[in-house]
Amino acid sequence: MAILAISSALGASFGWACGSMLAHKPLKQIGVFEFTRIQLLTSGAILCVLSSALGYWQSVDWSQWPVFAVSILVSVLAGNLALMACLSRAGPRQTELLLSLKTPIVAVLAFVFLGETLSPIEMAGIVIALSGICIAILYGGSAQEVASVRSSGGIWIVVLLGVISASAQGIGVLILKPLLQAGTEPIAVSAVRVTGAAFVVALVGLLPIGSFRAPAEMSWLLLFRVVLPGFIGYGVSVSLLLYALAHYDAAVAMVLSSLSPVFILPLLWARTGNMPRPMAWGGAMLSLTGTAIILL
């Protein structure tokens, strides 16, 4: 069971790295709100179909609707809107690095509210892994990335959006752990969260607010480029993380699912042809060292 949980958390990291890289260009084309609305509506529909086909709705305890409501409002809505705004300003690599802040937030909350404790070895591994991520974000950015962040409002705005997103997502996922341990299927939980968020966003989208309208005309190709990273993130990666969370320590599951910066470096290198700075690779290697210490 531990092997499956570890593999699921690492799979979530890889999925989020791919999703962030695929989402960057279409996000800039249609805007944060329209991008989020399309992703939630389509991903929610797909997850509901999967849950129905696999018979997972029977595992859901609907008397726990307040927990789902909090998770939807805090994690899926507030967390992901902040995430998309951060991604639009900073790009995929720096956004994924900021989201690694979920690990210490979840570790503290899991200790306070769930009584989870970590061994000294696990704590050391988490500190080393997070140190590597911090080194990469502080010193590993390219000159083009830094210029892009400065032109979009400054590093402090990006950091604030990243912290808000990491905190909201960490809290929204952690409060679901008791439900997952009680036997609720992760795909069904993802379906409830995403569908509920899609309903709220669809209602908000009916308001006559110009900033909610997409600046670019939608095409079938653009729609596909929006839907694909949404399903990878909301559907596949979140379900994998929820499975890992149900069967492993919350802090360890979070740090393993926060390794997207490690995966995204070679992906971006292959896509753009620009090799990241040595400090970025050094931070990634330090993160891998911390992960190895946790697992060993």
Side-chain angles (χ1 to χ4, degrees):
M1 192 67 71
I3 297 296
L4 289 176
I6 290 169
S7 300
S8 295
L10 292 173
S13 282
F14 182 73
W16 276 315
C18 294
S20 292
M21 187 178 68
L22 293 172
H24 192 212
K25 285 188 177 180
L27 173 60
K28 283 185 170 295
Q29 287 181 265
I30 66 174
V32 172
F33 184 84
E34 185 68 8
F35 187 86
T36 303
R37 178 168 60 175
I38 293 173
Q39 285 197 334
L40 288 173
L41 288 170
T42 54
S43 298
I46 294 171
L47 288 169
C48 285
V49 170
L50 286 176
S51 296
S52 299
L54 297 173
Y56 285 164
W57 290 122
Q58 299 176 0
S59 68
V60 179
D61 181 3
W62 296 107
S63 66
Q64 299 295 324
W65 66 266
V67 177
F68 285 114
V70 172
S71 180
I72 289 169
L73 294 175
V74 173
S75 180
V76 184
L77 290 178
N80 281 287
L81 285 173
L83 168 65
M84 294 307 160
C86 184
L87 180 61
S88 178
R89 291 170 177 268
R93 193 184 66 82
Q94 293 193 11
T95 298
E96 290 298 333
L97 291 169
L98 282 169
L99 288 181
S100 65
L101 294 172
K102 287 184 292 187
T103 300
I105 293 169
V106 168
V108 172
L109 294 176
F111 173 75
V112 173
F113 294 105
L114 300 179
E116 291 188 1
T117 57
L118 298 170
S119 68
I121 294 296
E122 288 175 324
M123 292 179 65
I126 289 174
V127 170
I128 292 173
L130 290 177
S131 298
I133 292 172
C134 289
I135 289 173
I137 191 173
L138 290 174
Y139 304 106
S142 65
Q144 183 178 2
E145 287 177 322
V146 173
S148 176
V149 171
R150 287 177 177 173
S151 65
S152 62
I155 187 64
W156 292 113
I157 297 297
V158 170
V159 171
L160 177 61
L161 290 169
V163 170
I164 292 173
S165 179
S167 302
Q169 290 187 24
I171 293 169
V173 170
L174 184 64
I175 62 174
L176 295 170
K177 180 161 186 173
L179 299 183
L180 295 165
Q181 290 178 321
T184 309
E185 290 290 342
I187 291 179
V189 173
S190 295
V192 173
R193 294 171 75 244
V194 176
T195 304
F199 177 74
V200 175
V201 170
L203 289 179
V204 174
L206 296 176
L207 297 175
I209 299 177
S211 60
F212 289 170
R213 302 293 176 258
E217 183 178 350
M218 184 61 64
S219 65
W220 286 108
L221 178 59
L222 180 57
L223 179 63
F224 175 76
R225 293 174 63 192
V226 174
V227 172
L228 179 59
F231 180 67
I232 292 173
Y234 292 117
V236 178
S237 295
V238 170
S239 296
L240 289 173
L241 172 59
L242 292 176
Y243 179 86
L245 196 66
H247 300 286
Y248 217 66
D249 289 337
V252 176
M254 279 295 177
V255 76
L256 294 178
S257 67
S258 298
L259 292 175
S260 300
V262 176
F263 292 115
I264 210 168
L265 287 176
L267 290 175
L268 286 176
W269 186 10
R271 181 176 180 177
T272 64
N274 297 322
M275 187 176 72
R277 289 184 175 184
M279 289 298 289
W281 291 114
M285 292 302 103
L286 195 58
S287 296
L288 288 177
T289 301
T291 302
I293 291 173
I294 294 171
L295 299 182
L296 296 177

